[in-house]
């Protein structure tokens, strides 16, 4: 996902029918992303199944902070934010809302991200099945409590007018991602820049 693309992560994966020596040759391909590395390869008769992992652990590193955040009032603000995080937690962006309100499979969004097809990522998140210019016909049933979401997505799909689509999009926590993307596009950001926001 987006956070993994911007993060240094370690992930356990299993591949069926792939020999370690084949995987070791993969980085020689000119299309290989040099930021992706692998280690500790082994052949196993067991497959990695859902639920096998003991959970996620995160170490958050804040980058690019202004110098004032490291001492004085800036540090006080950081400390206050950490106390709030400890006491109240944070918004959980996992689950069906991760990639919008549509019936778009996460692997489709992930595939588009990996191939750096950022326009398609946005199209998928905004409910355009297959990432083309036609909104998903099932969109209104996926979000029946507010047809304005579908109308905003359909407008964007038909016209590409992010500003008008943003005006139509409800101000609801369930469409935070859609509103953020539309807002960034309305400001003139590219698809890549909008996704980084």
């Amino acid at each position: 996902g987006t956070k993994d693309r911007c993060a240094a992560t370690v992930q356990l994966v299993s591949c069926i029918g792939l020999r370690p020596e084949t995987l070791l040759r993969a980085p020689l391909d000119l299309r290989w992303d040099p930021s992706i590395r692998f280690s500790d390869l082994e052949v196993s008769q067991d497959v990695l199944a859902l639920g096998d992992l003991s959970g996620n652990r995160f170490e958050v590193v804040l980058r690019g902070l202004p110098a004032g955040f490291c001492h004085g009032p800036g540090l006080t603000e950081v400390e206050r934010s950490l106390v709030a995080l400890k006491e109240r937690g944070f918004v959980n962006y996992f689950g069906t809302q991760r990639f919008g309100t549509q019936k778009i499979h996460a692997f489709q969004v992930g595939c588009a991200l990996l191939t750096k097809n950022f326009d398609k990522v946005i199209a998928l998140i905004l409910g355009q099945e297959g990432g083309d210019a036609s909104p998903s016909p099932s969109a209104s049933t996926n979000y029946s409590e507010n047809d304005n979401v579908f109308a905003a997505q359909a407008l964007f799909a038909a016209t590409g007018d992010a500003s008008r689509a943003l005006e139509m999009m409800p101000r609801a926590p369930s469409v935070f991602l859609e509103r953020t993307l539309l807002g960034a596009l309305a400001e003139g950001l590219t698809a890549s820049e909008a996704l980084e926001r």
Side-chain angles (χ1 to χ4, degrees), residues 162-163 165-166 177-189 194 197:
S163 296
L166 180 61
L177 179 58
E178 290 88 342
R179 287 192 58 81
T180 300
L181 289 175
L182 288 169
L185 294 171
E187 290 176 26
L189 272 61
R197 179 173 281 184

Side-chain angles (χ1 to χ4, degrees), residues 13 30 37 46 52 70 76 125 132 136 140 159 172-173 188 197:
V13 298
L30 294 175
R37 292 172 278 209
D46 300 321
D52 282 352
C70 300
T76 303
I125 291 170
D132 61 15
S136 167
S140 59
T159 67
R197 179 173 281 184

Side-chain angles (χ1 to χ4, degrees), residues 8-197:
T9 65
V10 177
Q11 300 184 12
L12 180 62
V13 298
S14 65
C15 304
I16 297 174
L18 182 63
R19 307 277 318 145
E21 52 272 15
T22 304
L23 189 55
L24 287 170
R25 286 193 303 273
L28 301 175
D29 189 295
L30 294 175
R31 296 168 293 176
W32 186 263
D33 183 339
S35 67
I36 299 174
R37 292 172 278 209
F38 48 83
S39 63
D40 304 325
L41 301 177
E42 65 179 67
V43 176
S44 173
Q45 296 301 315
D46 300 321
V47 297
L48 182 61
L50 189 62
D52 282 352
L53 302 178
S54 58
N56 293 323
R57 291 180 301 280
F58 296 94
E59 185 174 308
V60 178
V61 177
L62 301 177
R63 297 183 183 109
L65 290 175
F69 273 75
C70 300
H71 53 80
L75 182 59
T76 303
E77 184 61 32
V78 171
E79 289 171 336
R80 190 173 23 236
S81 297
L82 291 173
V83 168
L85 177 65
K86 182 178 180 182
E87 290 175 355
R88 295 190 298 270
F90 58 92
V91 177
N92 180 1
Y93 288 107
F94 289 88
T96 56
Q97 77 276 18
R98 272 185 90 178
F99 293 122
T101 57
Q102 302 305 313
K103 272 191 163 176
I104 302 300
H105 296 291
F107 73 86
Q108 291 175 307
V109 177
C111 184
L113 278 170
L114 287 172
T115 58
K116 298 183 179 177
N117 188 343
F118 302 122
D119 290 321
K120 183 172 184 174
V121 172
I122 288 179
L124 287 166
I125 291 170
L126 292 177
Q128 298 165 24
E129 225 162 18
D132 61 15
S134 57
S136 167
S138 61
S140 59
T141 58
N142 291 341
Y143 203 89
S144 59
E145 58 265 28
N146 196 336
D147 289 340
N148 288 339
V149 172
F150 178 66
Q153 291 169 328
L155 173 77
F156 180 74
T159 67
D161 189 336
S163 296
R164 285 185 50 218
L166 180 61
E167 288 174 12
M168 293 177 70
M169 187 68 68
R171 294 182 183 272
S174 58
V175 289
F176 174 81
L177 179 58
E178 290 88 342
R179 287 192 58 81
T180 300
L181 289 175
L182 288 169
L185 294 171
E187 290 176 26
L189 272 61
T190 64
S192 171
E193 293 166 336
L195 288 164
E196 287 181 8
R197 179 173 281 184

